[in-house]
């Protein structure tokens, strides 16, 4: 009996604790949380107490509370300490951490006390406090805000917790960048890595070289469209100051020697060949880069960096260094002369010379450089910090050489990658400290960065890519591994969505949303499509283009089926906690004379792009808008030829084959497609050819039907031949590359 009562008491205590801890859903998770009895209530009489060093933070908090709840707090430095109902920001030495970002947040019934070694810590105490404020509906005009009593002791694992925003491939408005500064601060991140120069744009005004933004900030497409924008120095100062007020350091990235097409399009004499060049319109790696043998290159870059350091007080300046092909340097007399004069062995050492020279310049101005891991090749500049992106190898090598590192491998930290490859659990599982490092070497790991490259993400899609992945990432950067556990994090994230809603964040999915398993029935000529929902707590709505909404899963149900008796375009919409996500998926199903028919290929498909195997081209499931999604069948450097057996002589009114083009890749439409019919599989008669006008310089990814309308045509066998253009043309960044045809689906009507 006694045992039972002990058990029961323990159980009730646990339940109580769980219920209370569920009120505390702070992301990133603090190091230590003790839930206390009772509540503190903020009302219009609540005073904020601060001193000179924390006044800005007090105002910031008051503004946030007023903005969200229309509740004005009192703050008045001179009025002496009240006995209760106050929020005190107190700078004092913490006994458990000397970290400048550490804080102690204690919420009692009569007052809230945030103690920290430095204002940075006070600011993070305020962020935790903000994440404890109520988020139920009708926030406006709240008279009282109830906060749970709690004691939180917290400090970060890493000093460098960053996000790289590529504002070049797609431009982000100044206010959008400031909004991200707020979102980063809310999740206790402290670095904005601002990617400002690229092949496709130069986005920072340089007074000495005004043409950089007059010409280099805008790219022109074949159809006459111009895309661009830039930040004036005044706007940059505004952003940097705004970030500083949120304890975020802005580190500018000025790319060299590669990814510099916008600069050399403006000043072609800074290249090896003299150009001319256009500002890049395609994504990829451009071969024309700054000439390393030309002194004017260095004069130019030193002038540019001199203005850059006036705008950015950060210790670090990111100089890029990634993806700089050496093709032009190999053929350039000046570059080769430089190699001779400097006693270098090859073009990699020439790159090292280039980077080291820029480092020396920046060091002379009191700054340090960060470069991508390619700067290891040919010898690392003496004081450089390495940002490892091609896995963690670069970070390991650099740390073992005694250099500081930022660890941000594509595998876990690239949020431009689709959620299917880099989902929230995977991001959460990341540990920025490579296990290969010993205790001394680990000290060189400054931290990590998420990367938001924007080739395929215009500003309006950034939220979808970054959220909720950035929640997991903020915990990777802040919280120690011993405190990390995915499922409790996932539950906190579910609560956190309401806070993101308040902040207007259009978050996307946590993982691949579903697996579709279509079964085609030859006799009834219909599909039964099974939907297995892979993301927990996700509602999936099936909407037919022809029939409208068809069905959705009841709460908690993770598998359902729907049927199709005719070709249809199905939109899958998602909702979380009653809110429909901005992102939806479209899938096309085709029921036609070829569906389920046997296909014989003359040239085999690539093992890299099977499209799902031998039946992929007539499975009735059409390839999606992403040729890498597994639904497309790929043919590298071969033509495509297929024969479809319709099993009996059949009337044929239209033949279609779908192809893909993606100018930033090696995937290109065929030169033409020719169609043939036969009754006996021996004698084929050509019935027509189709080709498409398209602009390879258009960066969009495009799938198109190559369709041929027919009359009075019949046959049992239909053959299609698509001509592979084989080589990528000269003006393409991948010039000379081997062309892939991507095929899906064969449709015969
Ligand atoms: C990179 O993604 N090229 C650093
Ligand atoms: Zn050169």
């Amino acid at each position: 009996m006694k045992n039972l009562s002990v058990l029961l008491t323990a159980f009730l205590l646990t339940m109580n604790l769980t219920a209370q801890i569920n009120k505390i859903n702070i992301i990133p998770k603090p190091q230590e949380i003790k839930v206390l009895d009772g509540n503190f209530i903020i009302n219009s009489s609540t005073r904020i107490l601060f001193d000179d060093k924390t006044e800005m933070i007090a105002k910031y908090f008051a503004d946030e509370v007023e903005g969200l709840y229309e509740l004005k707090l009192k703050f008045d430095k001179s009025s002496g300490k009240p006995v209760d109902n106050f929020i005190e920001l107190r700078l004092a030495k913490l006994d458990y951490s000397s970290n400048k970002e550490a804080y102690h947040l204690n919420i009692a019934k009569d007052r809230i006390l945030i103690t920290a070694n430095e204002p940075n810590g006070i600011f993070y105490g305020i962020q935790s406090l903000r994440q404890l404020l109520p988020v139920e509906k009708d926030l406006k005009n709240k008279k009282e805000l109830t906060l749970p009593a709690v004691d939180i002791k917290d400090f970060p694992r890493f000093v460098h917790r960053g996000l790289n925003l590529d504002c070049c491939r797609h431009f982000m408005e100044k206010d959008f960048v400031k909004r991200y500064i707020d979102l980063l601060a809310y999740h206790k991140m402290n670095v904005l890595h601002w990617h400002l120069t690229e092949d496709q744009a130069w986005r920072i005004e340089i007074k000495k070289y005004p043409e950089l933004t007059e010409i280099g900030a805008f790219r022109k497409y074949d159809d006459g469209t111009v895309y661009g924008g830039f930040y004036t120095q005044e706007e940059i100062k505004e952003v940097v100051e705004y970030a500083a007020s949120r304890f975020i350091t802005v580190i500018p990235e000025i790319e060299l020697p590669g990814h510099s097409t916008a600069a050399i399009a403006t000043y072609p004499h800074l290249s090896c060949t003299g150009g001319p060049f256009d500002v890049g319109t395609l994504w990829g790696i451009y071969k024309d880069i700054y000439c390393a043998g030309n002194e004017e290159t260095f004069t130019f870059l030193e002038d540019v960096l001199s203005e850059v350091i006036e705008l950015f007080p950060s210790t670090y300046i990111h100089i890029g260094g990634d993806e700089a092909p050496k093709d032009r340097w190999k053929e350039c007399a000046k570059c080769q002369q430089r190699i001779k004069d400097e006693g270098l062995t090859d073009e990699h050492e020439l790159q090292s010379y280039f980077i080291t020279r820029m480092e020396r310049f920046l060091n002379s101005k009191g700054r340090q450089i960060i470069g991508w891991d390619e700067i290891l090749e040919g010898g690392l500049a003496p004081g450089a910090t390495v940002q490892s992106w091609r896995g963690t190898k670069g970070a390991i090598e650099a740390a073992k050489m005694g250099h500081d590192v930022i660890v941000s491998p594509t595998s876990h930290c690239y949020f431009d990658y689709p959620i299917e490859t880099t989902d929230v659990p995977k991001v959460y599982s990341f540990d920025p400290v490579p296990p290969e490092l010993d205790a001394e070497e680990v000290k060189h790991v400054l931290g990590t960065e998420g990367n938001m490259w924007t080739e395929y993400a215009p500003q309006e899609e950034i939220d979808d890519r970054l959220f909720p992945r950035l929640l997991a990432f903020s915990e990777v950067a802040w919280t120690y591994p011993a405190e990390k556990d995915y499922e409790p994090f996932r539950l906190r994230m579910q609560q956190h969505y309401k806070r993101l809603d308040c902040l207007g964040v259009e978050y996307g999915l946590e993982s691949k949303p579903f697996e579709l398993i279509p079964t085609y029935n030859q006799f009834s000529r219909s599909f039964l499509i099974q939907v297995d929902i892979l993301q927990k707590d996700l509602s999936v709505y099936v909407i037919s283009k022809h029939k409208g909404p068809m069905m959705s899963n009841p709460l908690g149900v993770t598998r359902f089926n729907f049927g199709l008796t005719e070709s249809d375009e199905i939109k899958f919409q998602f909702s979380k906690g009653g809110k429909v996500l901005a992102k939806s998926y479209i899938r096309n199903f085709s029921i036609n004379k070829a569906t389920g028919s046997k296909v014989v290929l003359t040239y085999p498909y690539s093992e890299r792009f099977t499209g799902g195997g031998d039946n992929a081209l007539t499975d009735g499931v059409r390839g999606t808008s992403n040729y890498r999604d597994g639904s497309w069948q790929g043919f590298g450097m071969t033509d495509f030829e297929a024969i479809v057996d319709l099993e009996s002589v059949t009337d044929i009114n239209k033949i279609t084959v779908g192809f893909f083009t993606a100018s930033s890749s090696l995937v290109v439409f065929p030169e033409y497609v020719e169609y043939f019919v036969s009754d006996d599989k021996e004698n084929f008669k050509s019935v027509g050819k189709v080709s498409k006008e398209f602009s390879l310089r258009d960066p969009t990814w495009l799938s198109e039907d190559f369709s041929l309308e027919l009359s009075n045509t019949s046959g049992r066998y239909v053959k299609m031949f698509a001509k592979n253009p084989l080589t990528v043309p000269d003006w393409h960044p991948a010039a000379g590359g081997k062309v892939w045809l991507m095929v899906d689906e064969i449709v015969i009507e």
Side-chain angles (χ1 to χ4, degrees):
M1 211 52 211
K2 189 165 173 230
N3 272 348
L4 190 64
S5 78
V6 167
L7 264 178
L8 194 64
T9 313
F11 174 73
L12 287 174
L13 270 174
T14 310
M15 288 300 289
N16 193 26
L17 205 62
T18 310
Q20 285 178 325
I21 284 175
N22 282 347
K23 288 192 279 188
I24 316 292
N25 294 299
I26 297 168
I27 293 177
K29 189 183 178 210
Q31 307 304 344
E32 190 186 312
I33 301 175
K34 281 200 193 107
V35 177
L36 308 172
D37 277 341
N39 298 303
F40 177 83
I41 294 172
I42 296 181
N43 56 31
S44 58
S45 311
T46 305
R47 283 180 188 280
I48 310 183
L49 312 182
F50 52 88
D51 67 16
D52 286 342
K53 286 188 171 161
T54 56
E55 178 164 1
M56 182 187 83
I57 305 170
K59 286 213 170 89
Y60 160 85
F61 179 65
D63 285 349
E64 292 294 329
V65 169
E66 190 178 349
L68 203 53
Y69 303 99
E70 292 180 357
L71 181 70
K72 252 188 177 342
L73 303 181
K74 292 200 173 6
F75 65 102
D76 173 8
K77 197 162 46 162
S78 60
S79 69
K81 189 161 175 174
V83 289
D84 63 5
N85 197 8
F86 61 89
I87 301 171
E88 184 179 353
L89 312 183
R90 184 191 295 172
L91 286 172
K93 285 243 167 308
L94 295 173
D95 56 12
Y96 57 87
S97 174
S98 58
N99 190 311
K100 76 169 184 181
E101 296 179 303
Y103 68 92
H104 180 192
L105 168 63
N106 183 279
I107 304 181
K109 285 176 202 162
D110 54 345
R111 57 106 187 96
I112 294 174
L113 176 60
I114 300 175
T115 317
N117 299 313
E118 303 267 348
N120 308 59
I122 298 285
F123 185 75
Y124 292 131
I126 287 288
Q127 298 313 322
S128 287
L129 184 58
R130 287 178 69 202
Q131 290 199 21
L132 294 170
L133 290 168
V135 272
E136 68 268 28
K137 297 226 174 348
D138 298 323
L139 295 174
K140 297 282 178 206
N141 248 319
K142 275 218 159 329
K143 301 272 184 286
E144 294 191 335
L145 306 175
T146 305
L147 291 153
V150 68
D151 189 78
I152 295 176
K153 291 180 176 165
D154 201 7
F155 49 91
R157 182 179 182 205
F158 295 108
V159 296
H160 187 113
R161 306 180 300 278
L163 176 70
N164 169 21
L165 278 186
D166 168 12
C167 294
C168 295
R169 270 55 174 264
H170 279 97
F171 184 64
M172 297 179 205
E173 289 152 6
K174 179 196 69 187
D175 287 341
F176 186 84
V177 176
K178 287 165 78 175
R179 173 175 173 268
Y180 260 90
I181 286 168
D182 283 325
L183 289 168
L184 291 178
Y186 192 57
H187 299 100
K188 300 192 177 79
M189 293 178 66
N190 63 0
V191 172
L192 172 66
H193 166 175
W194 202 1
H195 189 75
L196 287 168
T197 73
E198 253 306 336
D199 297 313
Q200 296 84 3
W202 184 283
R203 299 265 184 244
I204 171 173
E205 180 192 23
I206 301 295
K207 303 272 195 205
K208 190 159 185 181
Y209 300 101
E211 296 89 351
L212 279 172
T213 41
E214 284 162 18
I215 298 168
F218 299 92
R219 53 181 184 258
K220 298 182 182 65
Y221 291 98
D222 278 359
D223 66 0
T225 318
V226 177
Y227 178 91
F230 65 91
Y231 308 102
T232 64
Q233 294 203 348
E234 282 311 305
E235 289 172 322
I236 298 228
K237 280 186 211 156
E238 183 186 328
V239 169
V240 170
E241 274 171 29
Y242 190 80
S245 75
R246 275 123 180 96
F247 296 86
I248 286 180
T249 303
V250 186
I251 298 178
E253 182 178 354
I254 306 297
E255 274 260 17
L256 54 90
H259 286 292
S260 47
T261 307
I264 61 173
T266 310
Y267 301 117
H269 68 282
L270 301 179
S271 72
C272 290
T273 66
F277 313 102
D278 295 323
V279 177
T281 56
L282 293 179
W283 317 130
I285 300 174
Y286 285 75
K287 290 202 175 90
D288 288 287
I289 65 178
Y290 290 120
C291 177
N294 182 353
E295 275 305 296
E296 285 175 283
T297 297
F298 295 94
T299 309
F300 166 80
L301 287 169
E302 289 179 7
D303 287 344
V304 165
L305 289 171
S306 295
E307 292 193 33
V308 166
I309 59 180
E310 287 300 314
L311 297 169
F312 295 91
S314 59
T315 304
Y316 293 106
I317 304 293
H318 203 306
I319 51 76
D322 61 318
E323 298 180 324
K326 307 300 183 293
D327 306 56
R328 299 294 180 262
W329 288 2
K330 282 186 181 143
E331 285 166 10
C332 170
K334 285 187 203 158
C335 286
Q336 290 306 313
Q337 190 60 45
R338 176 84 73 193
I339 287 177
K340 246 204 216 138
D341 293 348
E342 297 293 330
L344 308 172
T345 53
D346 61 10
E347 290 72 23
H348 290 294
E349 289 199 0
L350 184 56
Q351 159 137 337
S352 173
Y353 164 86
F354 200 121
I355 304 284
T356 304
R357 198 168 153 177
M358 298 321 300
E359 178 183 58
R360 222 179 304 129
F361 175 75
L362 285 166
N363 287 169
S364 78
K365 307 282 178 190
R367 306 304 179 95
Q368 303 286 327
I369 65 164
I370 303 175
W372 299 105
D373 56 52
E374 285 93 332
I375 68 170
L376 281 155
E377 295 159 8
L380 188 51
T385 294
V386 172
Q387 181 163 9
S388 190
W389 69 283
R390 299 174 301 174
T392 55
K393 263 197 350 273
I396 296 163
E397 192 182 329
K400 286 191 182 295
M401 288 161 63
H403 285 251
D404 286 346
V405 298
I406 296 158
V407 191
S408 65
T410 55
S411 55
H412 296 77
C413 304
Y414 271 45
F415 303 143
D416 52 324
Y417 283 25
I419 198 73
E420 282 82 355
T421 61
T422 314
D423 61 15
V424 174
K426 184 168 178 187
V427 174
Y428 194 79
S429 73
F430 179 54
D431 184 347
V433 173
E436 292 86 348
L437 299 184
D438 68 26
E440 267 313 296
E441 292 156 358
V442 165
K443 291 181 185 158
H444 289 295
V445 178
L446 300 182
T448 180
E449 282 187 12
N451 287 280
M452 185 63 245
W453 301 107
T454 58
E455 285 92 334
Y456 305 104
Q459 179 178 301
E460 59 274 17
E461 290 179 28
I462 300 294
D463 279 13
D464 169 84
R465 306 301 160 95
L466 286 180
F467 286 96
R469 288 187 280 201
L470 205 64
L471 304 180
F473 188 74
S474 73
E475 204 147 310
V476 164
W478 180 277
T479 308
Y480 282 80
E483 293 299 317
K484 279 173 67 205
D485 192 0
Y486 187 70
E487 185 56 20
F489 164 76
R490 195 188 69 77
L491 294 171
R492 276 183 286 124
M493 177 165 63
Q494 305 313 305
Q495 299 304 315
H496 200 77
Y497 283 126
K498 288 183 226 150
R499 299 189 183 278
L500 296 183
D501 288 341
C502 291
L503 299 170
V505 175
E506 293 290 341
Y507 45 85
L509 295 160
E510 293 168 17
S511 67
K512 179 178 178 178
F514 52 59
E515 196 78 67
L516 293 183
I517 305 165
T519 312
Y520 182 68
N521 185 317
Q522 280 283 17
F523 299 101
S524 61
R525 300 182 58 72
S526 66
F527 273 111
L528 183 68
I529 297 158
Q530 179 177 312
V531 183
D532 284 338
I533 302 176
L534 303 178
Q535 178 178 330
K536 275 191 188 163
D537 306 325
L538 188 72
S539 301
V540 178
Y541 298 84
V542 179
I543 301 160
S544 148
K545 188 167 185 178
H546 304 312
K547 299 186 188 130
M550 291 173 75
M551 63 189 308
S552 67
N553 57 316
L555 203 68
V557 172
T558 57
R559 170 175 292 178
F560 64 92
N561 299 297
F562 66 97
L564 290 179
T565 53
E566 56 179 357
S567 300
D568 207 339
E569 180 178 295
I570 303 293
K571 181 169 167 175
F572 295 91
Q573 260 191 348
F574 310 109
S575 106
K576 280 219 63 83
K579 186 188 147 171
V580 174
L581 306 189
K583 179 155 189 129
S584 58
Y585 282 34
I586 302 274
R587 294 288 181 269
N588 274 284
F589 298 90
S590 178
I591 298 174
N592 64 80
K593 289 175 177 171
T595 311
S597 298
K598 189 165 160 13
V599 180
V600 176
L601 296 173
T602 308
Y603 315 103
Y605 54 80
S606 158
E607 286 306 316
R608 281 176 60 199
F609 296 97
T610 67
D614 293 346
N615 303 318
L617 298 182
T618 53
D619 64 1
V621 184
R622 304 223 45 186
T624 71
S625 54
N626 175 2
Y627 74 85
R628 293 195 183 112
D629 71 352
S631 63
W632 291 84
Q633 209 164 65
F635 299 83
M637 284 305 276
T638 66
D639 297 323
F640 165 75
E641 189 176 85
I643 298 171
V644 178
D645 181 359
L646 299 175
E647 295 190 346
S648 60
V649 174
T650 306
D651 286 339
I652 299 168
N653 299 315
K654 189 176 176 187
I655 313 172
T656 298
V657 183
F659 287 93
F660 210 99
T661 184
S663 56
S664 51
S665 70
L666 300 169
V667 176
V668 174
F669 282 153
E671 272 175 33
Y672 64 87
V673 186
E674 186 166 8
Y675 295 104
F676 307 83
V677 297
S678 164
D679 290 345
D680 59 7
K681 212 179 175 183
E682 297 282 311
N683 303 296
F684 278 96
K685 181 180 78 167
S686 175
V687 290
K689 260 188 187 181
V690 185
S691 56
K692 292 264 172 198
E693 281 288 325
F694 68 102
S695 168
L696 263 175
R697 292 177 202 238
D698 185 329
T700 52
W701 288 20
L702 202 64
S703 64
E704 274 205 33
D705 286 349
F706 284 59
S707 293
L708 181 69
E709 307 264 359
L710 299 165
S711 53
N712 303 320
T713 305
S714 65
R716 172 174 167 177
Y717 300 95
V718 179
K719 181 162 87 175
M720 43 229 60
F721 172 84
K723 181 79 192 126
N724 187 326
L726 298 180
T727 30
V728 176
D730 283 348
W731 47 264
H732 195 288
K738 298 171 175 178
V739 167
W740 285 79
L741 296 179
M742 288 287 163
V743 189
D744 199 71
E745 156 114 359
I746 297 171
V747 176
I748 299 173
E749 292 159 275

